[in-house]
Amino acid sequence: MTDSIQRQPETDSEAGELDLAPAGIRVQAEPVPAQAAILSTDALALLADLHRHFEATRQACLAGRRARQARFDSKQLPDFRADTAAIRAGDWRVAPIPAALRDRRVEITGPTDPKMVINALNSGANCFMADFEDSTSPTWANLIAGQQALREAVAGTLSFTSEQGKRYALKPEAERAVLMVRPRGWHLAEKHMLVDGVPISASLFDLGLFAFHNARALHGKDRGPYFYLPKMECMEEAALWESVLTRIETLLGLPTGTMKVTVLIETLPAALEMDEILHALRGRITGLNCGRWDYIFSYIKKFRKHRERILPERGQVGMTQPFLKAYSELLIRTCHRRGAHAMGGMAAQIPISGDPAANEAALARVRADKLREVTAGHDGTWVAHPALIPVAKEIFDAHMPGPNQQHVLRDDVQASRDDLICPSLGTITRKGFENNVEVCVRYLAAWLDGNGCVPIHHLMEDAATAEIARAQLWQWLHASASGTDPLHLDDGTPVDFVLFDRALLGLPSQLAGQGALPGAARIPEAIALLEELTHGEILAPFLTVPAYQKL
């Protein structure tokens, strides 16, 4: 392949059929609308190039994750790296942040379907993170439709008409949120596309296709492209992204550093390498984000065999828990020292219609959380629903009059390794135990049915919540079964597989009384998968990996 990519096709017919794909590429999926345009010959050539250049390094990074987990399973504790001490001590800063990303006080996130993309870009938020990862069920139709929706959004032509005849259209570009895109993580493969007989990395598939179709147009408008990079654990994984992005820029004829990124710090090992991750991407990184739900999941997973670090039920694991407070404040200190944004976490609440008191109580929790973030020094925050944008914006406007607060250096923060892994106090209630079972099954059923962003109990849940729920169930049950001192609910009930199996057995009748639920037909399948994973001797690294094989 040459070191440049030809112009992208302008129409579906110009793109040709998939039998014109470059040698070595095979698409294993029934054709869906827009597929020919999205998977043009040149787009496929770029994907093949990326796979052949970087798959071996990706596999080495994944092997590093497995080795790291084995050390934690043997009771070794994570710590700051000795071999990178000079990076942490050095006096360096990341590249200047582009004008479009200097004010990110409120960002909205969601999947890539046309209606969501239009509503989010029109929402009044500063930025919209279009998510191919935790809030998208990666069916082939969803992935291709998402790429097409974003391509049309960048071109300004995206529109959508609902079944009821309501039409949605984009506001003028100056009134839209800045678009950012989150690809899937390094651990995931895209089973529908093989390169030389091997599934391509889902990360390369998502980011590569978006960049191929949109990077030049966005660069011409000083709008990036901009990306959120998920789930990484170490600086080597960040360095892999740096190499990938540089390669894409070369192939597309863009200046090095054109594509800007924000990294989600949502794994425990990454929290101990924030300086190193910033350094590896220093020519293009604009910030770090507290991906707190996945971070809690990572804490459980990394300490799955450390009984003394078992967390209480997830409803009690808030940002005032010492290990989460230390993580958040260290992120602020690290980012501001290096000239990067320190982004806060998600508010997942959705409006509660018909119950003003409950709705106001939910909004009060959002206000308190956003006040905590802005007064700690965060430069912006996330919301899952447009109704929360004015709530979050009001708090940040009142306490952050400038576009950001990188001047808040937080030199008072001295978060040690022990602070970052401090055990948490709390309990496991029957309601909390059963809620983990219910939420995991309901989310998984919807995900298997093609919906990755699901309203449950007035919260907009994505895969991170399901991961926390099932990881907690696994850890509680296996720790209780293997120890001489079994765990108990706060009412004295033993935490054992009898309790778990009884909760699963009663779930179908419980859910039947809640009306129509997303993915209701897949509930038996979701129950079976949760049962299998929870009874398994080893905690599966990601719920979405075995679930993906059932899509």
Side-chain angles (χ1 to χ4, degrees), residues 2 11 35 41 49 65 138 141 210-211 219 273 278 287 402 424 476 497 525 538 541:
T2 63
T11 66
Q35 180 171 311
T41 301
D49 178 275
R65 290 188 184 185
F210 180 82
H219 176 58
E273 294 192 33
L278 286 167
S424 299
W476 292 341
F497 283 100
E525 194 175 354
I538 297 175

Side-chain angles (χ1 to χ4, degrees), residues 23-26 48 51-52 194-198:
I25 293 185
R26 180 183 172 193
H51 173 86
R52 289 164 181 154
L194 305 184
V195 181
D196 304 329
V198 176

Side-chain angles (χ1 to χ4, degrees), residues 366-377 395-396 399:
V366 174
R367 293 187 189 98
D369 185 51
K370 300 314 167 191
L371 181 62
R372 175 193 57 80
E373 288 182 329
V374 71
T375 55
I395 298 295
F396 269 78
H399 297 273

Side-chain angles (χ1 to χ4, degrees), residues 27 48 53 86 124 127 171 205 210 234 241 391 407 463:
V27 176
H53 271 84
C127 300
K171 291 180 178 179
F205 181 87
F210 180 82
C234 62
W241 270 121
V391 178
H407 61 281

Side-chain angles (χ1 to χ4, degrees), residues 77-113:
L77 295 177
D79 205 346
F80 294 99
R81 288 170 59 160
D83 63 324
T84 57
I87 293 176
R88 294 193 298 278
D91 186 18
W92 51 268
R93 291 171 66 84
V94 303
I97 294 174
L101 294 180
R102 287 175 192 156
D103 189 337
R104 297 170 59 179
R105 66 189 59 222
V106 183
E107 298 185 342
I108 190 169
T109 77
T112 58
D113 60 277

Side-chain angles (χ1 to χ4, degrees), residues 158-452:
L158 180 63
S159 64
F160 174 77
T161 302
S162 70
E163 293 180 358
Q164 294 74 32
K166 182 177 180 180
R167 186 174 185 275
Y168 298 80
L170 292 171
K171 291 180 178 179
E173 187 160 19
E175 300 176 33
R176 293 180 221 152
V178 174
L179 177 63
M180 309 180 81
V181 174
R182 176 163 72 170
R184 286 169 286 173
W186 283 130
H187 61 288
L188 295 169
E190 177 46 61
K191 67 179 180 180
H192 299 102
M193 178 172 289
L194 305 184
V195 181
D196 304 329
V198 176
I200 189 171
S201 155
S203 305
L204 299 182
F205 181 87
D206 295 343
L207 188 143
L209 282 177
F210 180 82
F212 174 81
H213 288 293
N214 303 288
R216 294 190 188 95
L218 288 167
H219 176 58
K221 296 186 284 190
D222 289 329
R223 286 296 183 271
Y226 305 137
F227 298 99
Y228 258 103
L229 303 180
K231 301 287 190 294
M232 66 179 71
E233 291 198 357
C234 62
M235 65 178 291
E236 286 77 11
E237 294 181 21
L240 174 56
W241 270 121
E242 173 62 33
S243 297
V244 167
L245 294 164
T246 300
R247 178 69 179 169
I248 293 173
E249 288 165 344
T250 299
L251 294 173
L252 297 181
L254 296 171
T256 299
T258 294
M259 295 193 283
K260 302 297 185 182
V261 301
T262 300
V263 170
L264 289 128
I265 300 299
E266 50 189 349
T267 69
L268 179 58
L272 293 155
E273 294 192 33
M274 287 192 276
D275 272 308
E276 292 88 336
I277 289 169
L278 286 167
H279 189 266
L281 290 158
R282 60 193 179 278
R284 66 175 79 249
I285 196 164
T286 62
L288 302 178
N289 177 291
C290 281
R292 56 189 178 186
W293 307 131
D294 273 297
Y295 188 77
I296 295 167
F297 164 51
S298 176
Y299 185 99
I300 298 166
K301 183 166 52 175
K302 298 309 177 188
F303 290 136
R304 62 191 182 185
K305 295 193 175 182
H306 295 237
R307 184 186 173 93
E308 71 280 8
R309 298 185 194 279
I310 291 177
L311 296 180
E313 61 185 51
R314 60 190 174 87
Q316 298 177 28
V317 188
M319 293 303 293
T320 57
Q321 286 278 10
F323 82 100
L324 289 174
K325 183 175 184 289
Y327 145 76
S328 170
E329 292 182 343
L330 179 60
L331 184 144
I332 295 167
R333 180 181 185 274
T334 303
C335 285
H336 289 180
R337 181 186 177 202
R338 305 304 185 184
H341 286 332
M343 301 301 296
M346 172 67 79
Q349 287 82 356
I350 56 181
I352 304 174
S353 59
D355 191 338
N359 190 61
E360 180 52 40
L363 292 180
R365 289 192 292 273
V366 174
R367 293 187 189 98
D369 185 51
K370 300 314 167 191
L371 181 62
R372 175 193 57 80
E373 288 182 329
V374 71
T375 55
H378 281 291
D379 301 289
T381 192
W382 272 14
V383 299
H385 194 280
L388 297 185
I389 292 171
V391 178
K393 189 174 186 299
E394 180 183 13
I395 298 295
F396 269 78
D397 285 351
H399 297 273
M400 191 180 79
N404 55 68
Q405 48 186 346
Q406 288 189 15
H407 61 281
V408 178
L409 298 179
R410 291 307 308 268
D411 289 336
D412 59 304
V413 174
Q414 301 294 328
S416 67
R417 186 281 304 271
D418 290 344
D419 293 328
L420 292 169
I421 64 174
C422 179
S424 299
L425 298 177
T427 60
I428 307 169
T429 66
R430 183 177 298 274
K431 182 179 179 181
F433 186 94
E434 293 178 348
N435 182 263
N436 272 359
V437 174
E438 178 197 351
V439 168
C440 190
V441 167
R442 286 181 59 176
Y443 180 83
L444 185 53
W447 194 92
L448 292 170
D449 201 44
N451 182 1

